[in-house]
Amino acid sequence: MSELLTLIEVGGPVAAVAGGAAYARVKAPAVYWSAVGLPVTAVRFSATYGSTMDACGLTVAPSRLRVLLTRATTRREIRPVPPKIRRVRPTSTGLRVRLRLAPGQEPADVAASAERLRHAWGVHAVHVASVKPGVVELRMTGFDVLRNVRMPRRLPAGELLVPVALRDDGTAFVRDYRAIPHCLTLGATLTGKSVYMRNLIAGLAKLDVALVGIDCKLGVEQAPFAPRLSALATDPDKASALLDKLVAEMETRYDLIRDQQGITGSVPDDEITSDIWGLPAKLRPVPLVLIVDEVAELFLVATRKDEERRDHMVTQLIRLAQLGRAAGVFLEVCGQRFGSELGKGATMLRAQLTGRVVHRVNDKTTAEMGLGDISPEAVLAATQIAPEMPGVAVAGDSSGGWSRMRTPNLSLADAARICRETAHLAPVLPALAAFRPYVPPVAPPVGGPSLVKPRPVTG
């Protein structure tokens, strides 16, 4: 009887600890990973690394020198050699392991075995990133970081760098306009596309850039950001006129580059290989980001006159996409769907938009238009996004790389507040002055009636 009471007394705390760990694993996965998951995974990785790599076919025959030294000094069995571990670094979401590949291996060999490595070491996911020739990094995540998005504490910063979302490997997805100047963002209604654009605009609002918007839904999407916008068009007619002004601004910047570098005016714009960043700082024009909210509205036509206007607008957009990077003009084109049936110039415009962000879409054709020329696996991943996970998207570029990501929730009120607070950063561009949105002055708060009785007047 006494032994049973002792077991109960000992088992009580153990059960409480086990129950607390199970609760934390569901409700606070980051805490569970730091306290339990990380130590267990580290021990499992250290104990099974060699055998796991051998089972996954990621080992090679040892060199002749190694064979001779092993036979001369020991009687051990000569085993295949796995990639050499260069560094192991724990993180708040997983484990980072840097490997030096063995001769004859390539990063694709390790990436092909990522799923088997995940099961072998008991982690949520394993992602493989190439660091430099011959060196790869295994980015293990201990839990689903996209379930509850928390951006990393240390975010990259730069002149045209905007951290927008969290990748499924625990790193930040960054819009780098110097590397990927133009981007196409697609997503059906209620998929998180608007929240993605709010995060992007809020990040751009803090930088020294000019923001220009085209929102043919009468401005309902971009009007709250008016204090930070240098120009805004809310219908197709104004959008056509604004695009003409933007093309003229781009040509003016090319003339400035010609003047500074002694290039004659007979040289076509598309043959000028330099850009505005080669100009002196005092002469360098401010970078300009054009945000088109619903691109399909620019393609819709009802009459012959509308068709002519559509063709003109698409031509101007294509010119901006082809020549804008060197002049510091960047495009963010958004839409619910995108296909060749939009009309002439749609696929040509898409070909100029290097970056792709595709949220959940209603048809496979849109996913293929966005990601089909990047990777078939990316198209499949975009069609498998669950409706109860708004904000999840697949991001890729022309290099063929892609990843799943999710945007942190940012309310419209918070994004509008950021734009009001950074309104002083909005540059005034004389060429776009006619399109500067009107921002009504903020009325001072009206106080209620005073509860203090006035002192009586005495004679």
Side-chain angles (χ1 to χ4, degrees):
M1 186 66 178
S2 60
E3 295 179 356
L4 179 60
L5 293 176
T6 302
L7 290 175
I8 293 175
E9 292 175 356
V10 175
V14 174
V17 171
Y23 179 83
R25 187 171 188 176
V26 177
K27 299 297 183 179
V31 175
Y32 175 84
W33 168 254
S34 299
V36 180
L38 178 58
V40 172
T41 301
V43 171
R44 183 183 292 125
F45 172 78
S46 301
T48 65
Y49 174 74
S51 59
T52 300
M53 288 294 178
D54 192 15
C56 293
L58 297 176
T59 56
V60 297
S63 63
R64 293 183 180 181
L65 178 61
R66 184 173 185 139
V67 171
L68 292 175
L69 291 176
T70 302
R71 288 177 177 175
T73 57
T74 65
R75 294 181 176 274
R76 291 185 307 169
E77 178 186 359
I78 300 175
R79 300 180 60 85
V81 179
K84 186 177 180 180
I85 300 176
R86 298 286 296 270
R87 187 178 69 182
V88 178
R89 182 169 64 92
T91 66
S92 59
T93 59
L95 194 67
R96 302 286 177 86
V97 180
R98 189 163 292 188
L99 304 177
R100 177 71 183 183
L101 296 179
Q105 292 181 329
E106 62 176 351
D109 298 333
V110 185
S113 301
E115 189 68 14
R116 287 184 283 179
L117 297 177
R118 178 180 81 87
H119 288 286
W121 294 326
V123 293
H124 177 76
V126 175
H127 301 272
V128 180
S130 179
V131 179
K132 59 182 180 179
V135 179
V136 299
E137 186 176 66
L138 301 182
R139 297 174 180 175
M140 309 180 203
T141 52
F143 55 94
D144 187 2
V145 297
L146 300 185
R147 181 65 60 178
N148 185 17
V149 177
R150 292 187 178 182
M151 296 295 287
R153 295 179 181 178
R154 296 181 180 179
L155 295 173
E159 184 179 12
L160 286 173
L161 295 179
V162 183
V164 184
L166 181 69
R167 296 180 187 270
D168 55 357
D169 62 357
T171 60
F173 170 76
V174 181
R175 276 291 287 120
D176 184 356
Y177 287 91
R178 295 290 295 272
I180 302 177
H182 313 304
C183 183
L184 174 64
T185 301
L186 301 174
T189 305
L190 299 177
T191 59
K193 178 168 57 70
S194 297
V195 179
Y196 170 84
M197 295 309 302
R198 290 175 201 164
N199 279 270
L200 181 63
I201 293 174
L204 287 170
K206 302 173 184 178
L207 303 180
D208 186 18
V209 299
L211 298 181
V212 176
I214 293 180
D215 180 10
C216 291
K217 292 188 292 186
L218 302 181
V220 296
E221 291 288 344
Q222 298 184 6
F225 315 129
R228 185 58 180 85
L229 298 180
S230 297
L232 176 64
T234 57
D235 59 63
D237 290 330
K238 293 180 180 178
S240 179
L242 177 57
L243 288 173
D244 291 340
K245 293 294 184 180
L246 289 175
V247 171
E249 172 69 17
M250 180 185 67
E251 293 173 347
T252 301
R253 296 186 177 194
Y254 271 112
D255 291 336
L256 179 61
I257 297 174
R258 284 194 183 96
D259 294 339
Q260 291 297 311
Q261 297 185 353
I263 302 175
T264 62
S266 60
V267 178
D269 292 343
D270 54 357
E271 294 183 10
I272 301 178
T273 58
S274 186
D275 51 40
I276 62 171
W277 286 274
L279 300 175
K282 61 180 180 180
L283 297 177
R284 186 184 308 148
V286 63
L288 189 152
V289 180
L290 171 62
I291 303 172
V292 182
D293 181 71
E294 184 54 67
V295 67
E297 291 294 324
L298 302 182
F299 282 86
L300 296 180
V301 295
T303 62
R304 179 75 177 181
K305 184 179 179 181
D306 292 342
E307 186 176 352
E308 295 176 355
R309 182 190 61 199
R310 188 273 311 276
D311 293 343
H312 179 71
M313 284 192 296
V314 173
T315 301
Q316 299 295 64
L317 273 176
I318 293 174
R319 291 193 66 194
L320 290 173
Q322 287 179 336
L323 308 176
R325 183 206 62 82
V329 179
F330 309 101
L331 301 185
E332 289 286 343
V333 179
C334 310
Q336 295 187 25
R337 74 177 312 276
F338 199 90
S340 58
E341 69 275 6
L342 288 180
K344 183 175 61 175
T347 55
M348 187 175 181
L349 174 62
R350 183 201 62 159
Q352 302 295 329
L353 306 176
T354 308
R356 309 289 172 81
V357 176
V358 179
H359 297 73
R360 181 174 56 84
V361 292
N362 292 329
D363 60 307
K364 187 179 179 181
T365 303
T366 301
E368 290 176 343
M369 286 291 290
L371 300 170
D373 53 350
I374 293 177
S375 171
E377 292 80 7
V379 176
L380 181 62
T383 58
Q384 293 177 344
I385 298 175
E388 61 270 14
M389 293 285 285
V392 174
V394 176
D397 54 59
S398 58
S399 66
W402 64 277
S403 63
R404 295 176 71 249
M405 68 175 194
R406 192 177 190 185
T407 312
N409 186 33
L410 179 66
S411 66
L412 181 60
D414 289 338
R417 175 183 54 79
I418 294 174
C419 289
R420 288 194 302 269
E421 294 174 352
T422 58
H424 63 283
L425 297 177
V428 178
L429 302 178
L432 306 180
F435 300 92
R436 186 72 184 260
Y438 170 73
V439 180
V442 179
V446 179
S450 177
L451 299 180
V452 180
K453 295 183 178 180
R455 179 177 296 181
V457 179
T458 56

